[in-house]
Amino acid sequence: MEIIPVLDLKGGVVVRARMGERHLYAPIATPLAATSDPLDVARGLLAVHPFATLYVADLDAIEGRGDNGAALRQIRLGCPGVSLWVDNGIAAAAAAARWLNAGIGSLVLGSETQSDASLVRSLSGDDRIILSLDFRGAAFQGPSDILDTPSAWPAQVITMTLARVGSGAGPDLHRLAAIRRIAPGRRIYAAGGVRDAADLAALAHAGIAGALVATALHDGRLGRAEIAAL
């Protein structure tokens, strides 16, 4: 079970995500860092455990309101040896090529920002590509042909349940099991609702490769001792 801490960036700072209501996200206050500065928060998370990967959502870029490229570069330089998974709303081949050539990190293609399945299909063989299947409630966010064609998915797939992000509701084990059934051979990652080590153990038992986690780390329900036990 791979634990991947999440940083949601908006307006140059890390914000606390809750249930996908992005207009309500406010700068994070966490015991892991003195400020909401992205590098401060990243280092605070890495002080809990030497995580191999950080997931970063550039919410401004996803919503087409600028970007947090400077913050991403600071994290990249300030956290050597840590891989970055970045969702920045890219949905065009040229933009994806520029991003990958920049060498900042792996690219997360969020289904909610895709206009069709062509980019996902064309890059599915690139191990720097991660597909995020985004759900809001029962509704899939994005072109239906992405969800309906698991044979065109890359090797790593996130199942993002937006309504459970920061909610304390627990991961959506039913949906994760359904995605895993139709995509044998892919590494499936859970995002949204992870509360504690028990949830991570349940995900591991269900064959899930890893989980994106934020609130449980900042609230102390998932700390050094719990991670060491896992």
Side-chain angles (χ1 to χ4, degrees):
M1 171 56 55
E2 184 179 3
I3 303 170
I4 301 178
V6 174
L7 294 96
D8 289 295
L9 305 185
K10 186 176 183 179
V13 300
V14 178
V15 294
R16 181 167 285 232
R18 182 169 175 79
M19 301 177 70
E21 300 294 337
R22 292 170 181 156
H23 63 287
L24 299 177
Y25 292 3
I28 196 167
T30 171
L32 302 182
T35 74
S36 58
D37 175 79
L39 183 55
D40 284 350
V41 177
R43 285 173 169 167
L45 290 165
L46 295 171
V48 174
H49 180 79
F51 298 105
T53 304
L54 298 175
Y55 172 98
V56 184
D58 185 340
L59 300 179
D60 294 311
I62 290 171
E63 295 180 342
R65 300 178 180 176
D67 65 66
N68 290 275
L72 282 168
R73 289 187 289 273
Q74 287 178 344
I75 296 170
R76 183 78 178 90
L77 292 173
C79 302
V82 177
S83 298
L84 298 182
W85 286 9
V86 179
D87 185 349
N88 53 8
I90 284 178
R98 285 194 299 270
W99 168 260
L100 294 171
N101 289 337
I104 295 174
S106 294
L107 179 61
V108 177
L109 298 178
S111 65
E112 67 170 335
T113 57
Q114 305 302 307
S115 57
D116 55 45
S118 61
L119 184 61
V120 173
R121 185 177 292 110
S122 67
L123 294 176
S124 63
D126 192 322
D127 61 9
R128 298 169 296 173
I129 297 296
I130 303 99
L131 171 63
S132 179
L133 299 173
D134 303 324
F135 293 86
R136 191 175 295 276
F140 178 65
Q141 303 296 294
S144 60
D145 51 347
I146 291 179
L147 185 60
D148 295 341
T149 316
S151 60
W153 295 353
Q156 301 180 102
V157 178
I158 298 166
T159 301
M160 177 78 70
T161 309
L162 291 165
R164 296 191 180 220
V165 171
S167 69
D172 191 339
L173 291 169
H174 178 74
R175 175 169 289 136
L176 287 160
I179 295 298
R180 187 167 178 265
R181 279 196 300 272
I182 65 173
R186 268 69 174 185
R187 291 177 59 81
I188 307 300
Y189 293 80
V194 173
R195 297 164 294 192
D196 49 31
D199 281 342
L200 292 174
L203 290 168
H205 182 72
I208 302 304
L212 276 57
V213 182
T215 302
L217 290 165
H218 293 295
D219 290 353
R221 285 176 282 122
L222 191 61
R224 294 180 182 87
E226 292 80 9
I227 294 171
L230 285 168

